[in-house]
Amino acid sequence: MPEHDSRLAVEIAGIRFNNPVMGASGTFGYGLEFAGLIDLNRLGGFATKGLSARPLAGNPPPRIVETHGGMLNAIGLQNVGARAFVEEKLPLLAAYDTRVIANVFGYSDDDYLEAIRMLNDGEGISAYELNISCPNVKEGGIVIGNSPTAAARLTEKAKRIAARPLIVKLSPNVTDITQLARAIADAGADALSLINTLVGMAIDVNARRPRLNFGTGGLSGPAIRPIAVRMVYEVARTVSIPLIGIGGIATASDALEFMLAGATAVQIGTANYYDPCVTMKVIDGLADYCDRHNLESLAAIVGRVGEK
Amino acid sequence: MPEHDSRLAVEIAGIRFNNPVMGASGTFGYGLEFAGLIDLNRLGGFATKGLSARPLAGNPPPRIVETHGGMLNAIGLQNVGARAFVEEKLPLLAAYDTRVIANVFGYSDDDYLEAIRMLNDGEGISAYELNISCPNVKEGGIVIGNSPTAAARLTEKAKRIAARPLIVKLSPNVTDITQLARAIADAGADALSLINTLVGMAIDVNARRPRLNFGTGGLSGPAIRPIAVRMVYEVARTVSIPLIGIGGIATASDALEFMLAGATAVQIGTANYYDPCVTMKVIDGLADYCDRHNLESLAAIVGRVGEK
Amino acid sequence: MIDTIATVETNRELTPGYRLLTLSFDREIKARAGQFAMLKAHAAFEPLLRRALAVYRVHSPRRLSFLYQVLGRGTQALAELTGGGQVDALVPLGNEWPVEDKAIVVAGGIGSASVLMLSEALRAAHVETQIFFGAASHRVAVGCGLEDFRALGLPLTLTTDDGSLGERGFVTAPLERFLAAGGGVGATVYACGPWVMMRRVAEIARALNVRCLVSLEAPMGCGFGVCVGCVVAVETAAPLGYESYKRVCVDGSIFPAERIRWEVNAMAH
Amino acid sequence: MIDTIATVETNRELTPGYRLLTLSFDREIKARAGQFAMLKAHAAFEPLLRRALAVYRVHSPRRLSFLYQVLGRGTQALAELTGGGQVDALVPLGNEWPVEDKAIVVAGGIGSASVLMLSEALRAAHVETQIFFGAASHRVAVGCGLEDFRALGLPLTLTTDDGSLGERGFVTAPLERFLAAGGGVGATVYACGPWVMMRRVAEIARALNVRCLVSLEAPMGCGFGVCVGCVVAVETAAPLGYESYKRVCVDGSIFPAERIRWEVNAMAH
Ligand SMILES: Cc1cc2nc3c(=O)[nH]c(=O)nc-3n(C[C@H](O)[C@H](O)[C@H](O)COP(=O)(O)OP(=O)(O)OC[C@H]3O[C@@H](n4cnc5c(N)ncnc54)[C@H](O)[C@@H]3O)c2cc1C
Ligand SMILES: Cc1cc2nc3c(=O)[nH]c(=O)nc-3n(C[C@H](O)[C@H](O)[C@H](O)COP(=O)(O)OP(=O)(O)OC[C@H]3O[C@@H](n4cnc5c(N)ncnc54)[C@H](O)[C@@H]3O)c2cc1C
Ligand SMILES: Cc1cc2nc3c(=O)[nH]c(=O)nc-3n(C[C@H](O)[C@H](O)[C@H](O)COP(=O)(O)O)c2cc1C
Ligand SMILES: Cc1cc2nc3c(=O)[nH]c(=O)nc-3n(C[C@H](O)[C@H](O)[C@H](O)COP(=O)(O)O)c2cc1C
Ligand code: FES
Ligand code: FES
């Protein structure tokens, strides 16, 4: 087991993380994929691939396309299902000293609740993260995460049955993210994570077709970081529950932007693909920052961006 | 005068453009700045810097910061004012065979109307483009462009007094851009241009301050292109008035993505900064595309992206 | 699988648009025929994602070559590299070509990069081997390593689309004649090339009852199984179940041709 | 102002982190002392924006040198260039240093790059000239072209922050002593360097009634006046009027020091 640098420890909803650096949902698999590449015991934690009540096959290819500074994905939430995760993946994760956040999604409130109930049976899950950026089939295809009312209602229901702290992951595809954040915080969420991907599209001009089979996809990577930092900054000034910052993080400096804007911890997504050891590098970089700035606790800088 | 390639001509609200390539507002000055760099007579047109009823000084520096694949700006709409534009700039533009679109903004409906009245006196303006992404001081700081009702009301008033066709420029910082587009189209706009910048933020982690004096800024450049293409695609399927696509265009292929998604013409912004002759290169590239795809009229591909 | 920074020894243009990149590593890499690496110019800020390139040659455990075609931004950034330059490398990845009793190797265009080591292994194991090598033109054939294949001294049938060298037309034409004449009895077809070529090879092999393996291409996000972006639709018992898609990077890139649902994936190519 | 693609002749490291880039142009460039260029490695996809670098030397109308410090992504991409490489160049830009009757040149750090040609012009015009040259250390001084300044044979006072060469401390200390002793009577101070240095030089010159010109730095979007991103706050008759800000790229980069509202712009530095 590695020695942890105590200056980096953070707490969210009563859960202690050895450091604020996590893998983001959908980009970190079930964690195990990274076992041969990084020391999982050094990682603050990670959010699993989105888990649904039933396994899902996902979309036909092509599912990804690179853009300038980022990529579009339309994976279609392929996953083994909550039950298989509990039975097959969780026992293997027990060998590692890291925080496992189960990311959950569904196409209706009941879907979410069913998945959460399955996960309640699992050992070694620290928290749930609700991915509310999926279209709600019942409400005529509106995205739950784009409607403060729908999101608050789901949060309330989920909180009632969840055996672990509840993190709700915000969609950035909204006019006013503070309104959404406030509704979800008021509904009882223990923490918020943001941002999920922005909806985008790329077109093959010779074939005159979208580059993704699904048509549109979610934009992630460094391209979206300024939008994500701004949203964390706004939400931090609106709610008092802790935030997890996500969006285009690839270096310690990027992670620090989010912490200064108001995030207690961060998740790294796309950068894991092109730099599989990025999480370790960011942890090292945060320790360096503590050295250079004489910080006894990195948590002291959370939200401390001044007015320039 | 250059020979124009007739395959590239497009029409918007009764105005004929020699080709669909324009400079975007705020990135093309008053056009004259490019006279020594490109042949303005070859350009489809350009939108002027945002003009207000009174001249504006703009924000203190720093006003711009580069990000991955783009930049943030908080210029603060520095401009000579609509009157000075009409008196000092327009006469100089008369020497060029290109379409001048006067971009207009204000902090209240009356501001906009006052500027439009001043511009109505000018010679050589082909159309107005309303930049509605400014906070409306009267309605407690809400951004007119983020509210379909406020945007529709302003459109209606502007249309009533405008001596030229009215283009309304959409803000991308909204949950549902089709709702905004429909409201503005119903209110009588002759065309829509989209997108304006996305609100973002960058932080200097050593100084622990925002990198822009203003705090937040508008994100532009290739980073935002997938979001812009998606929005054009959605809006094209919602309204029947013509669209002008904007956002991260730097090559002919980028421009074609927007046209296939549903834009009749395009505007190029940030790319003018790092490639001052980009508009000429894009025009050449569009002619090449017509050659390679045996197109007699490029307009034939507008909106023709298939379902992949 | 090792994530490291390799150093460029040489990065030589074979013919315009085709290059041979030789890298030296600080550790031993155990790369087998058919495996690949995810590579990126270390100093390039764009594009972000690494690019999949087959291991063309293992000169020594610390010295590997890659043969590549310069297409878009990623390979353009690789093409800019000069001796001493640095390359982010994740290697070795994917499964390997099995060496069977009788072999028919089909290389289309730069797909050749994946089958040179296979051909060497087949020769070393004294397996009866027939090579079919197709390219767009004489120039492209040279860029795709024709001389290295010729140097093996194995029987080689050559086609070019424009007839500038060898038989005019697609490589699938002489392959079909060869199999129809009974050349495929007891053999395994190993194919790597453009999607349409592999699809046609698979059809021919299936029609003539010859076992066929293909090494597939797909846009890759990560190369190590985590993004689920590189999938290919495969035949499954339960049509729309979780098992409908396989990842090219870790479940392949080599698959039995009959497992692939060619018509579904065609949309991707 | 010409927008062209220049070719790298050499790109030599003087000391770690400091380089001299020599470019050849396909056309004649009429660059004067104090002017600058916007440069970008042509093949680099990131960063997007060109970087402002002062013209350090005009070897011939088609051959210019630039002296630069490697800091962030833009200068790192320039540092990767080797002979034959291509550079997007917009040049010449900005106003020029006027040659006056008596001169005091103050160079701080890489700000030196803007005043070598000025110093040459002053010497050629037989103007009485005193150079003050400050750098962080001996190593940095060499990187900032110390040898080129020494070769001019003009009186030169040298300081380093760490005392590794010349007087220990900031360059403003000997400058202040010199002016206080009357050295500035009838002279013009020409200053280029870090913001804090120029601000202090401006204060000293104003206090001792010596005319002072400064060449300012600002983050630049375009370099040719169109983005209005590079502004500096200046003194105006109407405090909040349209004239409150000037563009460093076209209205400068050289300004009379007393026009600058140092306290407003300080937030940017
Ligand atoms: C396992 C594996 C092994 C490979 N081995 C080699 C090798 O040894 N040598 C080699 O040269 N290449 C090899 N490839 C292909 C190589 O990875 C691609 O050519 C490369 O990723 C293209 O990157 P780029 O940046 O040049 O192009 P991009 O900018 O990514 O794309 C370039 C052009 O090709 C088009 N394009 C991109 N991907 C596809 C696609 N999947 N189908 C059709 N068009 C596409 C784009 O639209 C664009 O016009 C291999 C691929 C895989 C999956
Ligand atoms: C007219 C003019 C002439 C110049 N001439 C020269 C020259 O001859 N030689 C030379 O070396 N440089 C010169 N500069 C400065 C040079 O343009 C910058 O150093 C360069 O743009 C930095 O680019 P980068 O990509 O290396 O750094 P970036 O990635 O843009 O930034 C590098 C680091 O510097 C910081 N930084 C960036 N801009 C500023 C700023 N304005 N103030 C404080 N910190 C900042 C960033 O935060 C970052 O940490 C000149 C600038 C101007 C305006
Ligand atoms: C391929 C891919 C798949 C993703 N899948 C999920 C998912 O299942 N659930 C979820 O909440 N977020 C998912 N995300 C979003 C990421 O967790 C993250 O919010 C987003 O990518 C922004 O971070 P980044 O820029 O660091 O990638 C996915 C992202 C990518 C790129
Ligand atoms: C520095 C800067 C200033 C801008 N000023 C204006 C403006 O005054 N009015 C306006 O409607 N849009 C303005 N824009 C937005 C652009 O016109 C364009 O919508 C946006 O930048 C997206 O296009 P791009 O990615 O090609 O730059 C400005 C953009 C930039 C970068
Ligand atoms: S490339 Fe990421 S799973 Fe295959
Ligand atoms: S850099 Fe664009 S106006 Fe000066």
Side-chain angles (χ1 to χ4, degrees), chain C residues 18-241:
Chain C
Y18 292 84
R19 288 182 168 263
L20 185 70
L21 174 69
T22 303
L23 298 179
S24 73
F25 291 82
D26 56 356
R27 271 166 286 178
E28 300 208 345
I29 310 294
K30 293 185 183 43
R32 317 292 298 260
Q35 289 192 296
F36 67 98
M38 292 293 286
L39 302 180
K40 178 183 166 179
H42 179 72
F45 301 107
E46 268 285 318
L48 297 168
L49 300 177
R50 301 181 186 193
R51 296 299 191 256
L53 294 185
V55 177
Y56 184 59
R57 275 221 142 115
V58 177
H59 303 283
S60 79
R62 292 169 187 254
R63 218 169 135 247
L64 311 184
S65 284
F66 301 87
L67 186 72
Y68 65 104
Q69 184 182 4
V70 182
L71 281 171
R73 296 187 307 155
T75 51
Q76 278 167 30
L78 287 176
E80 292 285 319
L81 288 165
T82 52
Q86 294 187 309
V87 175
D88 293 334
L90 188 69
V91 60
L93 301 168
N95 55 9
E96 53 181 299
W97 293 113
V99 170
E100 306 291 0
D101 294 344
K102 190 176 162 193
I104 296 164
V105 175
V106 187
I110 196 67
S112 60
S114 170
V115 293
L116 182 71
M117 277 171 63
L118 165 68
S119 304
E120 283 173 348
L122 291 165
R123 198 186 58 163
H126 306 292
V127 173
E128 184 187 333
T129 302
Q130 181 74 33
I131 300 176
F132 291 86
F133 189 105
S137 65
H138 185 162
R139 188 181 63 72
V140 170
V142 172
C144 295
L146 177 61
E147 295 318 317
D148 294 327
F149 281 86
R150 279 187 167 153
L152 295 174
L154 295 169
L156 186 148
T157 305
L158 181 73
T159 65
T160 54
D161 301 359
D162 65 359
S164 53
L165 193 70
E167 179 178 330
R168 182 199 199 99
F170 296 138
V171 72
T172 43
L175 172 73
E176 187 164 20
R177 291 198 306 269
F178 183 78
L179 297 188
V185 179
T188 299
V189 173
Y190 302 85
C192 188
W195 183 264
V196 282
M197 179 205 91
M198 288 193 283
R199 186 176 183 173
R200 184 78 191 103
V201 170
E203 276 169 15
I204 296 169
R206 164 167 257 169
L208 295 165
N209 249 309
V210 183
R211 182 180 177 225
C212 180
L213 299 174
V214 288
S215 176
L216 298 181
E217 225 187 87
M220 289 196 172
C222 67
F224 59 102
V226 81
C227 75
V228 210
C230 63
V231 297
V232 62
V234 294
E235 301 289 352
T236 43
L240 280 169

Side-chain angles (χ1 to χ4, degrees), chain A:
Chain A
M1 290 289 145
E3 278 260 6
H4 293 293
D5 185 333
S6 63
R7 297 173 301 180
L8 304 185
V10 296
E11 206 187 280
I12 294 173
I15 315 158
R16 187 191 148 95
F17 293 83
N18 286 327
N19 60 64
V21 180
M22 306 185 217
S25 176
T27 69
F28 221 74
Y30 305 106
L32 303 162
E33 290 87 341
F34 283 83
L37 286 162
I38 63 171
D39 182 356
L40 283 172
N41 298 310
R42 287 194 61 207
L43 195 66
F46 73 92
T48 65
K49 224 161 186 326
L51 298 165
S52 48
R54 264 155 298 277
L56 274 179
N59 291 330
R63 290 178 170 186
I64 59 171
V65 60
E66 190 167 2
T67 63
H68 196 119
M71 60 182 276
L72 291 168
N73 88 77
I75 303 296
L77 295 157
Q78 174 173 346
N79 80 100
V80 294
R83 175 82 61 215
F85 173 73
V86 167
E87 288 168 6
E88 293 159 27
K89 308 287 181 185
L90 264 184
L92 301 174
L93 284 168
Y96 301 100
D97 173 29
T98 191
R99 297 298 185 180
V100 178
I101 297 175
N103 182 281
V104 182
F105 81 93
Y107 293 106
S108 68
D109 288 7
D110 290 344
D111 275 1
Y112 281 93
L113 302 180
E114 195 179 341
I116 292 173
R117 282 197 195 92
M118 290 174 178
L119 293 166
N120 277 343
D121 297 339
E123 291 278 344
I125 297 172
S126 294
Y128 299 135
E129 178 179 58
L130 294 195
N131 171 9
I132 55 171
S133 308
C134 317
N136 184 322
V137 184
K138 288 218 183 114
E139 301 193 23
I142 73 140
V143 177
I144 301 181
N146 292 357
S147 150
T149 354
R153 190 194 52 216
L154 173 60
T155 302
E156 227 173 85
K157 290 189 201 168
K159 183 66 194 162
R160 221 170 293 140
I161 65 154
R164 278 115 186 175
L166 189 69
I167 304 163
V168 179
K169 184 163 176 178
L170 305 184
S171 158
N173 301 291
V174 295
T175 307
D176 183 355
I177 195 150
T178 64
Q179 205 187 334
L180 183 65
R182 197 191 313 262
I184 294 170
D186 289 350
D190 297 294
L192 301 174
S193 58
L194 66 165
I195 60 172
N196 211 315
T197 54
L198 286 135
V199 183
M201 186 176 196
I203 293 172
D204 181 330
V205 301
N206 290 313
R208 300 190 196 162
R209 296 183 302 207
R211 287 198 182 269
L212 296 177
N213 186 296
F214 188 70
T216 59
L219 183 65
S220 63
I224 68 168
R225 192 170 58 242
I227 301 169
V229 170
R230 183 263 298 181
M231 288 185 166
V232 166
Y233 179 84
E234 287 178 353
V235 171
R237 270 137 203 84
T238 307
V239 301
S240 52
I241 55 177
L243 308 182
I244 301 173
I246 321 172
I249 298 175
T251 66
S253 167
D254 300 342
L256 288 161
E257 285 198 57
F258 281 90
M259 295 188 74
L260 286 161
T264 300
V266 297
Q267 291 179 5
I268 301 179
T270 305
N272 290 295
Y273 298 159
Y274 58 89
D275 188 6
C277 303
V278 62
T279 47
M280 301 294 111
K281 295 176 192 170
V282 170
I283 294 167
D284 292 341
L286 294 180
D288 278 355
Y289 185 83
C290 289
D291 289 346
R292 281 187 289 117
H293 289 255
N294 285 312
L295 295 173
E296 275 168 39
S297 164
L298 184 59
I301 69 157
V302 171
R304 303 302 284 271
V305 60
E307 304 293 317
K308 193 175 183 179

Side-chain angles (χ1 to χ4, degrees), chain B residues 229-289:
Chain B
V229 170
R230 184 263 299 179
M231 289 184 165
V232 167
Y233 178 83
E234 287 178 353
V235 171
R237 270 138 203 84
T238 307
V239 301
S240 53
I241 55 177
L243 308 182
I244 301 172
I246 321 172
I249 298 174
T251 66
S253 168
D254 299 344
L256 288 161
E257 285 198 57
F258 282 90
M259 296 188 74
L260 286 161
T264 300
V266 297
Q267 290 178 4
I268 301 179
T270 305
N272 289 296
Y273 299 159
Y274 58 89
D275 188 5
C277 303
V278 62
T279 46
M280 301 293 111
K281 295 175 192 170
V282 171
I283 294 167
D284 292 340
L286 294 180
D288 278 355
Y289 185 84

